[in-house]
Amino acid sequence: MTGWLGVVFSALFLAAVWAIWRASDRSRPMTPWLVGLGVAIAPALVWASLIDGALNGRFGDMHLSLSRLTVDVTRGSLSIGGGPDDDLFIRGASPSVVTIPRQAPGKGAVLMEVPEAPAPNPVGETLSVAAVRHGGSYDVIGAQDFDPGMAVCLKGCEAPDAVWYRFERGPFHFEQDGKAGPALPQRRAFGLAPTVSWKPSQAIHPLNRVLPGAPATHGFVYQTGKLFGGWKIVLLDPKARLGKVEGGQVVPFPTPKPEPIPVDQARALSIWDIRTYNAVDPGDPLGRLQERREIALGQSGTVLTAALSTPAVERVGRCPRNGSPSPVAPDFPVLGGDLSNALTQDLPYPEPAHCAELVSGTFRLTDPVAVGKAAELRLDRLGGPWILGWLSLAWAVVVLAVWGEDWRGESGGKRRLHWMLFVALQALLAMRMLTAFAGLVADPELAGGITVVGEAGLAYVAMTGLFLLMAPPTQGRALRLALVFGFMLAVSLALHLWMGGPFWSPTPGGLSLLATAGVLALSALQAWGATERGADLVQNLQSRAQGLVPELLRNRTVDWKTVLPTTGIVRGLLGLMSIKERLPVLGFAVSALYTPALILGFSSLMAEGAKASGRQAIRLGLAFCLSLGVLFVLLPVGVKDNGYALVGIPIMVMAAMGVWERRRRATDGEARLAAAAWAAPLCGAVLMVFAALVVFQAPAAASPEDLARAAVSASDQPALDILSRAGAYSQNQLRLWAFGSPDQVERYGSWEAENLRVWSQHLSDYTATLFGRGWLAPVNLSVLKPVQLNDNVSTIHIMAPYGRFGAAALLLCLGVLAAAAARATRPDVAGEPGQGRILGLMALWILFGVGAYVVLANLQLAPFTGRNVYLLAAASDSDLLEGMTLFFMAWFGLTALRPSTPEDEVV
């Protein structure tokens, strides 16, 4: 029955909504069946999806993966590129981007770039370049130093009338016969910081876009990130030359010869495509390099190994557990040349009776022509992840055994809130497990492969376990915590065996491993602390620590006057150092630390504003407006993270709600002015959205008269003018204008507009059903492949399998969680809310607000941003860190940072 899973999914989240709201009523006891219902929701979600996948026969795909190529360099060569004869075929790359030629005995293998720039690949992709990785930076093979005062010529460079383009500074640009090209945006490093290494994801400047007259050429320049400039140029035209300006004339340099690079100096080799963009505003990048493959190189004796960092994987058939295999023709384009021909003859499909036993098998494919060349391949059967179902069920039993009695005996206080937060957190992490496996099925080449699924399973237990240990059991603590310790070890071992390899090596995975270590250490310490000897030591340490705790922490307050300016300064400095989205050392997104800091600061500001009156309230309201504008708009826009502004929407709403609750006190002019200041950001945001959706219309790229004139013109210029106007708008502008006049945007004809049309069509298809198509239903990711587990996870892995009703039920659960937490922690005596309560509720409302906006954006009902529903981006440790931080902040804000009440039992 189509859509039954969406109905069950929606019903389970609605049950969670009812249970959480029911538990928030402190006048009603926590009954055993209510506690059990909440804990059982996450396992039920997992099992319903697994059963749906089994009933629809969606398990058992056979995957063929290539991990490495080997070649005896004394007997043959190895080529990498997009040509049909290349040994390692990279779709979209140019033929033979890099070759490893045959070597004489006794010499080490070397890399060599093809000296003649080949024509673009027939599939119409752009040229590619190879780069050698050194730590976190890259050196493009063939790149030459290019400083102001030098010049470049594209052809006929030996002739007296050769055309030379001179490179000048102030700002950096090219000149030719008095004509100047556009200024190149300079990447500046912060003055006190070390040199910022260049990475291919940073801007490049194609020569055909920055040279005066826009000549036809394939090369590009880029800035290395040195403190005072530092430019390099890559010439991809065989007749191009460099020269130096001396005495007003250009003196050509000798033609450089490609220098071989020893393999021991190029342990990692990356192939990058040159991608160009339309620059809308000054300073926008004109191009970037998009990675195709990264290959780790090594040599042992005369045998060279080229190992793919992300194995190339293709589906080659289906092998159901209780059925016969149904192989398909082995289309494995990553292998080229004679190895590709050998694959069609040597692929060992399993016999029909072996399907149930097939787990994996590795075999070696040898080149029938070139002796000494071979490929190492692996054939896997991707069966149902039943281990995730048993893991979720067993964890539910352990949780009820350890914490169930405390929850059931709860009449009010912290443990009621503890259970409510746990129910929602466990459901989200269950969805993370399902999303990880669905992402692997949709994209067999998912970075990390099966380890991403194992990491999600580990996070399901480790993260919820760490959260539960914030309120350890009160009865039989030592024995119950020993059970948690043992279960955590068992889960780690089970996932290790299931993945067929060490679980500490996946990417991502570090955060889950850290949480696992935290659960093991915390459960062991708490179990020991429950003993008589341990309790005495803990009490002694607590008494000694009292004198070391600062007064600020004892008062449980955070000063916004320190937190908000410091956060803004640090974020600005990171932007000056070209650190825009990801911290280079930790590897996490900047927002994983930026968002919690803002919650701390704004909760302090709002708590102080709730108690203020008169002119003080007005000043705090103005500070609120200024802080929102700088921290959520100016700084994110300055580092090109425009979508971050949506995180500020729940904060604006909370401020406006506070004004509404205190409306009866606004009896004089100053009180009304203060209320207006606090509500102004939300009112302004609403007006801006209204203007964008209703008033603002997309400008026409071409009128009917323009189209008619272009059709009858003997020249192509009218048509080129139309395309030029259409290409003057960025993808973000087109997405915004699509709300007001989608038909107009679709007729633009530019590359950006066509991409937007395809993207919109895919989103409409995935989100079309009310109750979904079922878990693991076939999907054609197309342009959504790179973002299926982040930007568009709510489309592909929530609304497509579970439907719109399923997504609405999930969001309703998050919204009700925030409202129920406010209800459960409402003080009995009327008064102004403390900072802790504001902080906890702000974290929960951000959790809901960001998720709701992202789902609306994927339904194409709101401008699109690059964010995702928290905790569902299964391939991102940053998402896991930021989402878990919100839950922990909610718990500590609503419990540890509020005054104790008689209802609060000792935790």
Side-chain angles (χ1 to χ4, degrees):
M1 172 176 126
T2 303
W4 78 268
L5 179 61
V7 174
V8 173
F9 181 90
S10 303
L12 288 171
F13 269 105
L14 290 177
V17 167
W18 178 86
I20 290 172
W21 187 253
R22 164 73 166 71
S24 67
D25 186 355
R26 290 178 292 177
S27 65
R28 307 177 72 175
M30 297 283 289
T31 59
W33 62 267
L34 181 65
V35 171
L37 173 64
V39 175
I41 285 172
L45 288 170
V46 177
W47 277 99
S49 298
L50 290 173
I51 292 172
D52 179 76
L55 291 177
N56 289 285
R58 291 169 181 160
F59 300 145
D61 279 352
M62 290 193 297
H63 290 171
L64 184 65
S65 58
L66 171 69
S67 58
R68 67 186 66 231
L69 290 174
T70 60
V71 61
D72 186 336
V73 292
T74 63
R75 306 169 70 181
S77 62
L78 183 70
S79 62
I80 303 171
D85 296 326
D86 288 323
D87 300 301
L88 184 59
F89 180 84
I90 300 174
R91 189 184 300 278
S94 304
S96 300
V97 175
V98 168
T99 60
I100 301 173
R102 186 173 178 176
Q103 311 291 318
K107 294 185 178 180
V110 296
L111 298 177
M112 184 177 291
E113 185 186 26
V114 178
E116 295 290 331
N121 192 283
V123 297
E125 299 286 351
T126 57
L127 286 173
S128 301
V129 294
V132 176
R133 179 164 59 85
H134 300 287
S137 62
Y138 294 80
D139 291 334
V140 178
I141 298 177
Q144 303 177 61
D145 291 332
F146 195 61
D147 300 318
M150 298 178 65
V152 59
C153 170
L154 302 179
K155 60 182 178 180
C157 304
E158 303 296 338
D161 58 347
V163 178
W164 288 90
Y165 301 90
R166 304 184 182 191
F167 189 48
E168 306 290 347
R169 66 169 72 245
F172 292 106
H173 66 284
F174 286 90
E175 290 185 1
Q176 193 270 321
D177 286 345
K179 299 178 182 179
L184 305 183
Q186 184 177 1
R187 178 169 177 255
R188 301 180 184 275
F190 180 53
L192 300 180
T195 299
V196 182
S197 299
W198 178 83
K199 297 180 178 62
S201 59
Q202 294 158 195
I204 64 169
H205 310 290
L207 292 178
N208 62 351
R209 308 287 292 277
V210 298
L211 296 181
T217 182
H218 298 297
F220 60 89
V221 294
Y222 63 92
Q223 190 180 11
T224 61
K226 292 182 180 179
L227 194 58
F228 299 106
W231 292 82
K232 286 184 177 292
I233 188 169
V234 178
L235 300 177
L236 298 178
D237 297 284
K239 298 181 181 180
R241 295 278 300 278
L242 295 182
K244 186 174 180 59
V245 180
E246 295 181 356
Q249 300 295 321
V250 177
V251 179
F253 291 148
T255 302
K257 296 182 179 180
E259 292 291 336
I261 303 174
V263 166
D264 58 5
Q265 297 180 16
R267 293 296 185 182
L269 177 71
S270 292
I271 309 296
W272 302 84
D273 272 358
I274 304 172
R275 298 295 184 183
T276 59
Y277 303 98
N278 289 318
V280 178
D281 300 317
D284 283 355
L286 295 172
R288 297 191 189 279
L289 298 184
Q290 177 176 321
E291 186 178 23
R292 283 295 178 182
R293 285 284 179 197
E294 182 168 277
I295 304 158
L297 299 174
Q299 186 174 4
S300 176
T302 61
V303 177
L304 180 132
T305 301
L308 280 64
S309 299
T310 300
V313 184
E314 295 286 340
R315 292 189 187 90
V316 292
R318 180 176 290 274
C319 193
R321 187 171 183 83
N322 297 317
S324 301
S326 54
V328 297
D331 180 18
F332 201 59
V334 74
L335 281 181
D338 294 314
L339 283 173
S340 177
N341 299 328
L343 180 64
T344 60
Q345 304 171 6
D346 296 345
L347 182 62
Y349 284 113
E351 296 295 330
H354 294 169
C355 264
E357 290 78 22
L358 176 66
V359 177
S360 64
T362 302
F363 62 97
R364 188 177 177 86
L365 187 69
T366 58
D367 191 328
V369 177
V371 180
K373 187 183 300 182
E376 293 185 10
L377 298 125
R378 180 184 179 92
L379 187 65
D380 293 278
R381 176 184 177 273
L382 191 64
W386 298 103
I387 187 175
L388 302 182
W390 294 116
L391 182 150
S392 64
L393 193 59
W395 181 232
V397 173
V398 171
V399 169
L400 287 174
V402 176
W403 283 273
E405 184 176 346
D406 292 288
W407 287 335
R408 289 191 294 269
E410 167 76 358
S411 60
K414 296 181 179 180
R415 292 199 179 272
R416 183 182 296 265
L417 179 66
H418 190 235
W419 177 85
M420 292 161 51
L421 292 173
F422 169 75
V423 170
L425 174 61
Q426 185 180 226
L428 287 175
L429 291 176
M431 290 301 303
R432 182 184 178 88
M433 287 196 302
L434 297 172
T435 295
F437 189 81
L440 177 61
V441 172
D443 178 14
E445 287 193 354
L446 178 68
I450 195 66
T451 56
V452 174
V453 185
E455 183 272 342
L458 196 63
Y460 177 80
V461 178
M463 292 300 178
T464 53
L466 200 60
F467 180 80
L468 288 171
L469 288 173
M470 296 300 101
T474 57
Q475 302 296 327
R477 178 178 293 189
L479 181 60
R480 294 182 180 184
L481 291 175
L483 177 61
V484 174
F485 183 90
F487 186 80
M488 192 72 256
L489 286 178
V491 166
S492 302
L493 178 61
L495 290 173
H496 167 80
L497 296 175
W498 179 66
M499 290 186 297
F503 59 82
W504 52 84
S505 62
T507 302
L511 192 61
S512 294
L513 292 173
L514 188 62
T516 300
V519 170
L520 294 173
L522 196 56
S523 60
L525 287 174
Q526 289 179 349
W528 181 71
T531 64
E532 182 177 352
R533 184 177 179 181
D536 292 339
L537 179 60
V538 170
Q539 186 175 4
N540 185 30
L541 291 176
Q542 286 179 341
S543 62
R544 292 188 178 186
Q546 289 295 323
L548 302 177
V549 178
E551 185 68 24
L552 184 66
L553 295 181
R554 284 204 294 271
N555 293 335
R556 297 174 174 181
T557 59
V558 176
D559 187 6
W560 65 270
K561 301 182 190 70
T562 301
V563 175
L564 292 182
T566 302
T567 302
I569 291 172
V570 172
R571 188 68 185 95
L573 293 180
L574 290 176
L576 288 174
M577 290 188 288
S578 299
I579 301 174
K580 298 181 178 181
E581 295 183 359
R582 190 165 296 276
L583 296 170
V585 177
L586 299 176
F588 293 115
V590 174
S591 63
L593 302 178
Y594 189 62
T595 300
L598 294 185
I599 293 175
L600 285 172
F602 278 100
S603 64
S604 172
L605 176 57
M606 292 174 65
E608 186 175 337
K611 300 175 183 177
S613 60
R615 294 186 177 180
Q616 177 67 7
I618 297 175
R619 286 194 291 268
L620 291 174
L622 294 177
F624 177 74
C625 296
L626 179 63
S627 300
L628 273 175
V630 172
L631 297 171
F632 284 104
V633 180
L634 292 182
L635 283 175
V637 168
V639 297
K640 305 294 184 181
D641 188 12
N642 303 342
Y644 189 80
L646 73 91
V647 180
I649 295 176
I651 299 178
M652 300 180 201
V653 174
M654 286 188 66
M657 290 174 62
V659 170
W660 177 257
E661 291 177 356
R662 297 188 298 273
R663 66 188 183 280
R664 293 180 181 176
R665 290 167 39 188
T667 56
D668 55 22
E670 287 186 345
R672 293 191 182 95
L673 190 58
W678 283 92
L682 181 62
C683 296
V686 171
L687 290 176
M688 289 178 61
V689 171
F690 177 79
L693 300 182
V694 178
V695 179
F696 196 52
Q697 298 290 319
S703 65
E705 292 77 13
D706 291 334
L707 294 174
R709 187 162 48 253
V712 299
S713 175
S715 167
D716 291 335
Q717 192 58 44
L720 293 174
D721 291 341
I722 293 173
L723 289 176
S724 176
R725 288 197 297 272
Y729 306 114
S730 69
Q731 189 86 336
N732 287 333
Q733 284 177 309
L734 293 175
R735 284 174 175 172
L736 181 62
W737 290 335
F739 293 105
S741 49
D743 294 338
Q744 178 67 40
V745 173
E746 287 184 3
R747 290 197 297 266
Y748 269 30
S750 66
W751 179 84
E752 288 83 359
E754 177 61 17
N755 253 10
L756 178 61
R757 184 191 67 80
V758 175
W759 173 82
S760 176
Q761 199 170 38
H762 276 283
L763 291 189
S764 299
D765 179 57
Y766 288 133
T767 61
T769 63
L770 294 180
F771 292 104
R773 300 183 176 93
W775 192 51
L776 304 184
V779 294
N780 178 22
L781 294 179
S782 184
V783 295
L784 301 182
K785 183 177 180 179
V787 292
Q788 60 139 339
L789 286 182
N790 40 66
D791 296 7
N792 294 117
V793 65
S794 57
T795 293
I796 299 170
H797 299 300
I798 297 179
M799 284 183 277
Y802 306 110
R804 294 189 179 196
F805 277 7
L810 187 153
L811 292 177
L812 182 62
C813 179
L814 297 179
V816 168
L817 174 66
R823 183 189 188 198
T825 58
R826 183 179 294 116
D828 295 328
V829 180
E832 301 302 338
Q835 180 187 345
R837 187 165 184 265
I838 294 176
L839 183 148
L841 295 180
M842 187 180 292
L844 293 178
W845 281 119
I846 287 177
L847 192 75
F848 163 73
V850 171
Y853 186 94
V854 167
V855 169
L856 290 175
N858 278 268
L859 286 169
Q860 303 180 73
L861 299 176
F864 191 80
T865 70
R867 301 192 68 81
N868 54 269
V869 180
Y870 280 116
L871 294 178
L872 297 190
S876 171
D877 264 357
S878 297
D879 170 71
L880 186 60
L881 175 62
E882 190 170 346
M884 288 303 305
T885 302
L886 292 179
F887 270 95
F888 280 111
M889 293 184 79
W891 166 250
F892 285 111
L894 294 171
T895 57
L897 297 181
R898 69 181 179 90
S900 298
T901 65
E903 291 180 316
D904 293 336
E905 71 272 38
V906 178
V907 173

